[in-house]
Amino acid sequence: FPSHDTVDVKDGAGKSILSKVLKPSADEVVQGVPPLKIHVGNAKSTQIFYNGQSVDYSSSTFSNTARVTLGAQ
């Protein structure tokens, strides 16, 4: 059956700006002060876009969970 994706996003101040379980094919748009810290469960079925560009986070994925920081200087 289709799997759900758990996504948590925190902004540069550490404030949670998204924390939810997403249904398959769901889209979420978040805005926050970078750097954005993203934790994705079920990473193999999730896509992340940052400033309109697809993010390759395969090197940050372990056991189908990814932790990515975007917008860091």
Side-chain angles (χ1 to χ4, degrees):
F1 71 70
S3 52
H4 289 67
D5 305 320
T6 304
V7 180
D8 293 297
V9 182
K10 292 185 179 180
D11 68 9
K15 179 183 173 187
S16 179
I17 54 177
L18 176 70
S19 183
K20 83 190 308 188
V21 176
L22 301 176
K23 295 180 181 179
S25 301
D27 291 334
E28 286 289 330
V29 176
V30 297
Q31 294 181 340
V33 177
L36 301 177
K37 293 186 178 185
I38 303 169
H39 180 208
V40 178
N42 197 18
K44 292 179 183 174
S45 69
T46 304
Q47 290 182 306
I48 297 174
F49 291 85
Y50 182 71
N51 290 334
Q53 301 292 318
S54 179
V55 176
D56 177 7
Y57 55 90
S58 57
S59 64
S60 300
T61 303
F62 304 96
S63 298
N64 203 23
T65 299
R67 292 186 184 271
V68 179
T69 300
L70 300 175
Q73 297 282 335

